[in-house]
Amino acid sequence: GGGLGRENVLTVEVFSALDFLPREHFLGQILQAARGAEVARGHLIRDIEAANVDLLPGDLRPTLPSGQPAAWTVQPDATISSTNAFCLVEAKRLKPSSFQPQQLARLATTITALSRSQSAFCLLVLRKDPPVKVKGHGDLTLAEAVRLGDRTAGAPDPLRVAEQFAVITWEEIASMVSTQTRRFTNEDPSVEISIARLAREVAASVQRHH
């Protein structure tokens, strides 16, 4: 079915377009509109023109506080990185879906490991704002979901979780791209048409994968 409804396909379609659209006007504005991880998000926004977007980058195995590598890996849907900042993108499909019980805790641990060398956060691209659905546990806040996946760490500080995770919805991304396309002007009509074409692909992808 051409990957219809699959989060990986939706992520690649949308973020590949955002990679090529003018960063300050599009991807930077989307990061600005996200909620959470204020400090780390600000560092990445300032570097956005030079940032690297890597789609489906494969497994990441963090180093635990003990200094040992984790026995598990995380598989972000994308990463956005610069010299000073690193963002893991974890996307959920537009149809109802859930996180695995340990997924958000492992993402939090990975962010903690990355933060030892640079500013880091996880961008959650969701169908709707939290609470999030966790398989077998219903709807939980992000802090509750992190606690569920790592009971040995004690209750997580909600403020720390808020600095590790930022949230935006697919509909907000599509709306932001549409708004920024209307605002964008360029003396070369070909540039404007190219940008409008890429922007239409973002809106079409979000609509198609509902």
Side-chain angles (χ1 to χ4, degrees), residues 13-27:
E13 289 177 357
V14 170
F15 278 83
S16 60
L18 293 176
D19 188 12
F20 290 106
L21 284 164
R23 295 284 185 79
E24 180 182 346
H25 298 277
F26 290 90
L27 184 54

Side-chain angles (χ1 to χ4, degrees), residues 30-132:
I30 286 167
L31 291 172
Q32 187 72 49
R35 297 163 294 284
E38 297 288 339
V39 174
R41 196 159 43 86
H43 289 159
L44 183 57
I45 291 168
R46 286 191 288 274
D47 290 349
I48 198 61
E49 291 294 350
N52 179 64
V53 177
D54 192 2
L55 301 171
L56 305 179
D59 293 350
L60 291 179
R61 188 183 302 276
T63 300
L64 301 176
S66 65
Q68 297 298 313
W72 43 265
T73 61
V74 297
Q75 295 177 314
D77 297 296
T79 60
I80 308 170
S81 59
S82 71
T83 302
N84 301 308
F86 196 97
C87 171
L88 299 179
V89 178
E90 180 60 38
K92 286 299 180 187
R93 62 183 186 169
L94 278 157
K95 297 182 184 298
S97 61
S98 59
F99 287 93
Q100 295 299 315
Q102 293 182 311
Q103 189 172 4
L104 286 166
R106 289 177 175 179
L107 286 167
T109 299
T110 304
I111 292 303
T112 298
L114 290 167
S115 296
R116 296 180 192 126
S117 59
Q118 61 191 142
S119 183
F121 70 103
C122 177
L123 178 66
L124 300 176
V125 186
L126 306 175
R127 175 173 169 261
K128 61 180 182 178
D129 279 337
V132 295

Side-chain angles (χ1 to χ4, degrees), residues 157-177:
D157 181 350
L159 293 177
R160 184 181 182 191
V161 172
E163 280 302 315
Q164 291 181 315
F165 292 93
V167 175
I168 196 165
T169 69
W170 286 113
E171 294 291 352
E172 287 173 318
I173 289 176
S175 177
M176 178 64 71
V177 169

